Amino acid sequence: MRDSVAFEVALNGRGLSSSGRIVRTAIPAIEHETVALPAELVRDDGSLDVYEDVLNKFRPTYQKNIPSIQCSGWVGYIPLNDSFALEVSTRVPVGNLERLVGMAAGYSPAVLRKYSRLFSDTKDRPEALVDVLADHLLDAFDRIWAGGLLKTYDQVVNSGSMPSGRIMPFETELLSAKMGRPAAVSIAFRRTSDFGPNRILRHAFEKLLARYLGLSDPAQRMRTQRLRKALERLAGIGYAARSDLTTQSIARHVERLPSNHATYADALLVAHLVVHDLGLSIRQAGGIAILPSILIDMALVFEAYMRRVLADGLADDPALEVKDGNKAGEGGAKLALYDPIAAGNANPPVTPDIVVEKAGKPLLVIDTKYKPAPKIPERGDVNQVVVYGVRYATEQVMLLHASRPNGRGHTEHCGDIGAFRIHNGMIDLNAASIENEERAFVSAVRALIN
């Protein structure tokens, strides 16, 4: 809390982030909900006064003859125009959204780079959000470099026969007497970029470079190249002292920024997160950093998160493998629906979210459903998962839901359809100890496949 307050004081009318920030009235919403819009969002011609590049993420409609927007699956702060924004929450209680995003291997959030918001910090650091931090810091530094590095005056003491600056009479007399010939001690001031703010940026870039080195993904290689270039530009800057890297020190630098170097506010606020290994709180606003709005697709996050939970939880058995039915190739289990198929017909794919195999043979097919757990799975969902069971030649199939009502287990046998055993899977994403909840779900799955 004290950290946030320090930065809120520093941002009070200072820096590019503060001056460019738009304060919008927040309209609370829940994903997939239809939300009535204020009259101010409707133009005289009946059209919606909403940013064009944001409007395509929603479906404009009318509810009880009132202009409304039907939210999609995005969660987060979504600016509508310069006056209003939607704050979209999850449809099921999620105690730690950052943990889910962090464990959702391969998931990347959508970033509305034209629109910013004020974020609070958190100790969870999802890899995808670190990418957002790195990009924002590099973009801010590019603007800094274009305008010139911030400089300060450094005091230099000279001794000898060639004084520079102001001569110190007492020190000059002592030096002359000691050397037995005329000599002078003088003090001069030189302009230098080698001081606190630039040392902080160098430290942040070095930490990020250590994180990205060796990654083979093309996007990560591009970040590595940009980080190397930033460090080359800071080649004459020394290492930051421990006192330079404290929250209070960084906040003071932001607070004292001259008006012609306002871009440093963006860079130093993000550098603070990098230096202190902090992440972004996706839902909670605060005063720690101003960054582009980040949107999360919870259905995709839930699917990738549960794949990771099972893969990690079952890793002690080398014969078991958890695969992604949405992709082919290594780690994937995607199949064509028909085998064989009549000549000339298109063959659609079969894409279950999770396939658990033992020694290459499917034992359990799971389809994730990011919605509250019903008493028994919906008919359409059952039809879908039974087709998966047929195609993967496994009798155990599950529909996995993103909640677990009190008193219910992590897996329930709903009944059989022919040779197929239908299971209702459940996990409480709002559990006080999500780690215990994950372990209990893995144990229940292990009992099914053993």
Side-chain angles (χ1 to χ4, degrees):
M1 175 63 75
R2 191 169 68 180
D3 291 353
S4 295
V5 170
F7 280 114
E8 284 173 354
V9 171
L11 281 170
N12 186 21
R14 301 175 181 87
L16 182 66
S17 292
S18 179
S19 60
R21 188 169 119 232
I22 298 174
V23 178
R24 299 178 175 90
T25 299
I27 303 171
I30 297 175
E31 53 183 330
H32 299 293
E33 179 183 64
T34 299
V35 182
L37 297 176
E40 295 92 330
L41 276 170
V42 183
R43 299 188 182 100
D44 292 341
D45 63 359
S47 64
L48 294 181
D49 182 15
V50 175
Y51 299 133
E52 288 296 328
D53 55 343
V54 173
L55 188 59
N56 62 14
K57 297 186 180 298
F58 304 96
R59 187 170 72 85
T61 184
Y62 277 83
Q63 187 177 52
K64 297 180 179 179
N65 207 31
I66 297 174
S68 306
I69 278 183
Q70 184 177 11
C71 297
S72 58
W74 297 110
V75 170
Y77 176 93
I78 306 172
L80 297 177
N81 61 17
D82 287 355
S83 300
F84 293 93
L86 285 177
E87 280 193 339
V88 186
S89 299
T90 57
R91 65 193 298 196
V92 297
V94 180
N96 196 330
L97 179 56
E98 291 73 30
R99 176 179 173 82
L100 268 66
V101 175
M103 290 184 65
Y107 175 77
S108 296
V111 180
L112 302 180
R113 299 196 178 279
K114 288 172 59 177
Y115 312 107
S116 63
R117 60 161 292 190
L118 194 61
F119 284 87
S120 184
D121 63 307
T122 175
K123 292 184 178 179
D124 290 304
R125 300 183 77 215
E127 182 177 337
L129 297 191
V130 175
D131 292 345
V132 174
L133 292 179
D135 291 344
H136 192 76
L137 181 57
L138 287 163
D139 290 345
F141 185 69
D142 285 344
R143 295 193 297 271
I144 287 172
W145 185 255
L149 291 178
L150 183 63
K151 294 184 178 181
T152 189
Y153 284 96
D154 189 22
Q155 180 176 287
V156 180
V157 178
N158 296 309
S159 300
S161 58
M162 301 288 290
S164 175
R166 183 166 63 91
I167 295 177
M168 307 297 289
F170 180 72
E171 290 82 356
T172 295
E173 185 177 348
L174 286 178
L175 181 63
S176 298
K178 182 178 179 180
M179 297 183 66
R181 59 181 174 78
V185 177
S186 60
I187 293 178
F189 290 88
R190 63 173 183 179
R191 293 191 74 204
T192 178
S193 298
D194 186 10
F195 77 119
N198 294 323
R199 292 173 183 173
I200 293 164
L201 294 181
R202 173 180 172 170
H203 187 87
F205 286 135
E206 287 176 338
K207 285 198 71 168
L208 286 170
L209 182 60
R211 181 186 182 100
Y212 287 109
L213 276 175
L215 298 181
S216 59
D217 180 84
Q220 306 297 30
R221 287 204 302 269
M222 179 65 71
R223 289 190 181 94
T224 300
Q225 292 172 6
R226 292 186 69 192
L227 288 166
R228 289 186 186 278
K229 184 175 181 180
L231 286 169
E232 288 173 4
R233 289 172 167 175
L234 294 172
I237 307 301
Y239 293 104
R242 183 173 297 180
S243 59
D244 289 327
L245 302 176
T246 66
T247 294
Q248 291 73 22
S249 175
I250 297 174
R252 281 195 299 271
H253 285 307
V254 174
E255 189 174 3
R256 295 170 182 172
L257 286 172
S259 59
N260 61 325
H261 284 283
T263 309
Y264 267 85
D266 292 313
L268 289 175
L269 293 173
V270 177
H272 171 262
L273 297 175
V274 174
V275 167
H276 289 271
D277 296 317
L278 296 172
L280 299 176
S281 179
I282 298 169
R283 292 172 294 186
Q284 183 180 356
I288 210 76
I290 297 171
L291 291 159
S293 186
I294 298 170
L295 305 185
I296 304 296
D297 186 329
M298 285 303 299
L300 292 180
V301 167
F302 180 58
E303 174 188 325
Y305 162 73
M306 291 311 306
R307 224 174 3 250
R308 172 74 176 275
V309 167
L310 284 171
D312 289 353
L314 299 174
D316 58 336
D317 187 342
L320 293 176
E321 190 171 3
V322 177
K323 292 188 174 181
D324 182 355
N326 297 289
K327 67 177 188 179
E330 185 178 356
K334 184 177 180 180
L335 296 176
L337 177 58
Y338 296 102
D339 183 25
I341 186 172
N345 289 342
N347 202 349
V350 181
T351 57
D353 296 326
I354 303 170
V355 178
V356 182
E357 296 182 355
K358 185 165 187 175
K361 175 179 169 51
L363 296 181
L364 174 66
V365 174
I366 301 174
D367 209 50
T368 59
K369 299 298 177 184
Y370 177 67
K371 55 188 176 183
K375 181 176 177 60
I376 192 166
E378 296 176 11
R379 173 64 182 273
D381 295 340
V382 172
N383 293 347
Q384 179 185 29
V385 81
V386 167
V387 170
Y388 293 158
V390 172
R391 187 63 186 88
Y392 285 83
T394 177
E395 297 176 356
Q396 306 267 30
V397 295
M398 177 185 292
L399 290 154
L400 174 55
H401 297 90
S403 74
R404 186 172 63 85
N406 289 337
R408 296 179 66 179
H410 292 84
T411 62
E412 295 176 347
H413 176 217
C414 304
D416 297 347
I417 300 176
F420 299 100
R421 294 175 62 81
I422 315 300
H423 300 279
N424 195 7
M426 292 169 281
I427 186 166
D428 181 7
L429 302 181
N430 201 40
S433 173
I434 189 65
E435 295 89 348
N436 289 341
E437 185 73 5
E438 291 165 359
R439 284 191 288 269
F441 176 75
V442 171
S443 294
V445 169
R446 195 188 297 271
L448 290 179
I449 59 180
N450 285 341

